[in-house]
Amino acid sequence: MEERLKMIYDSFADLEEDMQAAFSSKDKELIKSHFFRSHRLVFKIMDHIERKIQTREYSVLGDYFHCMNVLKKKIGSWYEDLAQLYEEENQEEWAEREWFSGITESTDSIERFIQYAHATLKVHNLYVSKDIKVNLERISAANVIDITSSLKRVRLVINSAVSEHGAVEQANYILAWVDELQKAISNREDLTLALDKVPEEVSLEKAIGELEQLIGLDEVKRKIKDITNWVSFNKLRQEQGFKTEKISLHMVFSGNPGTGKTTVARLVANILKAVGVLSKGHLVEVGRSDLVAEYVGQTAIKTMNKIKEAKGGVLFIDEAYSLVRGSASSDFGIEAIDTLVKSMEDDRNNMVVILAGYPNEMKTFIDSNPGLQSRFKNHIEFPDYSLDELMEITNLLLHQRDYKMTPTASAIFRRMVGKTTLRYPETHGNGRLVRNMIEDAIMAKASFVMEQKAMNLPGGDLDLLDETIMSIVEKNRPLAGKSLAGINGMNRL
């Protein structure tokens, strides 16, 4: 053996020892630096092979090729070990990446191909060991495009493995499973529509414009624009070589029901996609039942499923304080919070978490959880709508549904809204209140028209809600017939 080749083997032996120590300490940065050393060795061998060919020293080429194959096979096994290390830490996306790196280094084992396939599916919470129906429940319009791409990638890799190593039972099973899942996806209308839909590129100007069009919420709009400007400013500094701060974009939305929190969260997702923070810009809305399981050990899995669905977008947790409400289930809720906090750190560059709920409860919830306090720096309060703003919302909703009201009907409607907001100042529902009242009015209109038609009497214009209809709605409202004496402010309606 040539002296030069012996030196390469000696360097490889030192590298093996260093890599073993790095894996023992689970020091991923050190592991990556050793990978750099290993690739330099491979390039050095390739350089020597090229020189031997040029000088026609063919007798020693076999030794160099053997050395390179041994090294590449070992590098492939190291990538496999690194992938398993990431899997232990539930970092599936990084695990998938390392499994793929292992395949590119060495194709000596079909098992490595199969492990890559499982890792690719696990990123989306898909498992070949589970029923197709269970897997299908984890596919939504928000993630079906990514999942379809992953299924194609799995098929390609497994077919490559079969062509090189021959068919084995595991490979055939995975291919059949992929076929069955793709067929199930094609039978779901919502998923096929999402696949056929051309993604709309939302510009920052359009996203901010939609925010500005919202009725009221002036302070909310200002804070959202401040956050957007902060992100854009940091990007400018980065482009020009200045130091930039780590931006925490997780938010707390405090406000009574119906004040626009979910609507604004959806717009925030669009805005952050437009400025390049989020890759998808979708919204995943969840509550306690979506995150907390009934049995020990299941909550973390359930929470991670939703976190994976929200990657690239916004995870919106409504009534977040309910995660720790009640002594019997508080431990499971805390498990959900712990899982969430860890993922917020791991995925901070491609997921934003928004906690929402009643003002007082949200303050108590955040103040009692130090881990949340340090991660949620952006607190936005959503005030109740004024009576004038609620009437603006009413007119907008009517226009969207192709209805209109007479002035007298509008006055009756305003009176009903005013009575309700005064009687139930914290629970009247804000925007939901007027939406429900409009639906009541449309229902009353439908019944009135059909009853009139049955008696061969005119029912009036089909797009008009007049005082007759509003009087029916007012009569049937829960407040109807109750004394309003003593309700502060009634004389001002």
Side-chain angles (χ1 to χ4, degrees), residues 180-227:
E180 192 175 350
L181 184 59
Q182 286 181 321
K183 183 179 179 181
I185 290 172
S186 67
N187 289 333
R188 277 252 312 258
E189 185 178 0
D190 61 323
L191 299 182
T192 56
L193 287 173
L195 287 170
D196 294 337
K197 185 179 179 181
V198 178
E200 182 184 0
E201 288 297 326
V202 179
S203 67
L204 179 59
E205 291 75 16
K206 182 178 179 181
I208 292 294
E210 290 179 4
L211 179 69
E212 289 287 4
Q213 288 175 8
L214 296 179
I215 294 168
L217 304 177
D218 292 340
E219 186 62 18
V220 172
K221 295 173 185 176
R222 185 190 67 78
K223 288 189 175 181
I224 296 298
K225 284 189 285 187
D226 283 347
I227 293 170

Side-chain angles (χ1 to χ4, degrees), residues 1-15 41 44-45 48 64 67:
M1 182 184 296
E2 288 192 338
E3 187 64 31
R4 188 176 291 130
L5 193 55
K6 287 181 180 179
M7 291 174 63
I8 291 174
Y9 272 115
D10 288 341
S11 297
F12 179 44
D14 292 339
L15 176 60
L41 272 179
K44 186 178 291 186
I45 296 170
H48 287 316
Y64 279 95
C67 179

